[in-house]
Amino acid sequence: MRQTILAVLSLSAMAALLTGCGGDMVLLNSKGPVAQGQSDLMMTAIYLMLLVVIPSAIMALWFGWKYRASNKDADYKPTWAHSTAIEIVVWGIPVIIIGILAWLTWWGSHKYDPYRPVESDKAPLTVQVIAEQFKWIFIYPEQNIATVNEMRFPEKTPVTLRLTSNFTMNSFFIPALSGQIYAMAGMQTHLNFLADETSPAEGYRGFSSNYSGYGFSQMRFRAHSVTDAQFAEWVAAVKSGNGASVNPNAVQKAVLDQTEFAALRDGNRSKHQIEAMVVNAQTPEEKAAAEALKPYPTKPHPVTYYSSVEPKLFESVINRYMSNYHGADHSATAGHEAAASDAHANVEHATAASVEE
């Protein structure tokens, strides 16, 4: 009993340290309708489940106290075997709760489908996202600019993301604004969200929530929700090669083309892997090859701005992994894939709308 009490107190103290003393409660303090809806859905499910957990915990303590050996007034029924009332309660209430949870899950999966566009009077901002080797690349096709490890967008404006990966599968996540969604090589996924207000100066946290290797912890970026005027100013500054005037810590470059894109992949192995390869090399050639490898970065790639982007760079990344079409000309299929993807999003939207009706 003493060990149980100590364990409960330890967990309580840890929870207090993680939440009350500077912990990040962003999942319960969302800044957009999508994340807020998902947060409300999660809390509703927790409250429903507590309808079983709390009474069970109370009864476990009460029964132990009431029927203790020293309580001579408690009823003693050694032949008791069945109670219809108890059976109805212990089976009926959980069945009802599970039924409500099932309905909430079905409704929420349509209402907060990541492919479903956010309803707004404003036209959405489209951003193409590429999960590169331990960094995030954001391409703005309408503005013809690109960034690394930073995303900016106007407040109260729907943002439509098109995501893919140029290496292993990853998971894109901005907890304050939306749920996570996977980015996979050779595929395109969608994510829609909206920010209700401008972000703090440091922006909202964004990161990869799917382990992808030694540099996984460096896949962090900042998402800045700004006013329409600030967004226009930032776009103009980046296009003119003066993005550092908005973010002094950013690196400004000219064109994000295939050559520059390939150069963004830095590192071949972890530092420990390279050291092991050097030690285990059997020949001078193997040792030289191992020593020539570059280690994965130990800190996030610096924020980088590009004043222009090579056309169809995003589509070329997807087509690179289309194994069924090696050697084919994908220029015609890129548009078809984008149209098919948009059509799928429209179908999902229509389905969700019909569900609500």
Side-chain angles (χ1 to χ4, degrees), residues 200-218:
E202 68 273 12
Y204 299 125
R205 287 192 310 126
F207 53 89
S208 170
S209 58
N210 184 80
Y211 181 73
S212 56
Y214 281 96
F216 154 77
S217 60
Q218 311 308 326

Side-chain angles (χ1 to χ4, degrees), residues 265-280:
R265 175 166 290 197
D266 50 356
N268 307 102
R269 296 287 192 279
S270 72
K271 178 182 178 182
H272 302 294
Q273 286 178 319
I274 294 175
E275 291 174 349
M277 292 173 67
V278 171
V279 171
N280 297 325

Side-chain angles (χ1 to χ4, degrees), residues 41 44-45 48 51 93-108:
L41 194 63
T44 301
L48 283 171
L51 293 177
I93 293 178
V95 166
I96 293 173
I97 292 176
I98 290 173
I100 296 174
L101 289 173
W103 181 84
L104 284 174
T105 301
W106 177 81
W107 175 81

Side-chain angles (χ1 to χ4, degrees), residues 161-230:
L161 302 184
R162 302 289 187 264
L163 303 100
T164 191
S165 175
N166 193 39
F167 74 126
T168 187
M169 182 173 72
N170 246 288
S171 181
F172 181 92
F173 194 19
I174 306 177
L177 299 175
S178 68
Q180 68 87 29
I181 193 166
Y182 287 107
M184 295 167 281
M187 300 179 64
Q188 179 182 178
T189 52
H190 295 197
L191 182 65
N192 292 273
F193 64 83
L194 180 147
D196 288 329
E197 58 190 49
T198 57
S199 62
E202 68 273 12
Y204 299 125
R205 287 192 310 126
F207 53 89
S208 170
S209 58
N210 184 80
Y211 181 73
S212 56
Y214 281 96
F216 154 77
S217 60
Q218 311 308 326
M219 290 195 70
R220 304 193 298 269
F221 66 93
R222 288 289 171 174
H224 297 270
S225 174
V226 298
T227 64
D228 291 338
Q230 289 174 329

Side-chain angles (χ1 to χ4, degrees), residues 253-266:
K253 293 189 176 182
V255 182
L256 179 60
D257 54 15
Q258 292 291 351
T259 302
E260 176 65 21
F261 182 74
L264 286 174
R265 175 166 290 197
D266 50 356

Side-chain angles (χ1 to χ4, degrees), residues 188 333-346:
Q188 179 182 178
T333 61
H336 173 71
E337 291 168 359
S341 183
D342 291 338
H344 173 73
N346 292 335

Side-chain angles (χ1 to χ4, degrees), residues 36-48:
Q36 185 61 52
Q38 293 174 340
S39 176
D40 293 343
L41 194 63
M42 176 182 67
M43 294 308 301
T44 301
I46 291 175
Y47 295 147
L48 283 171

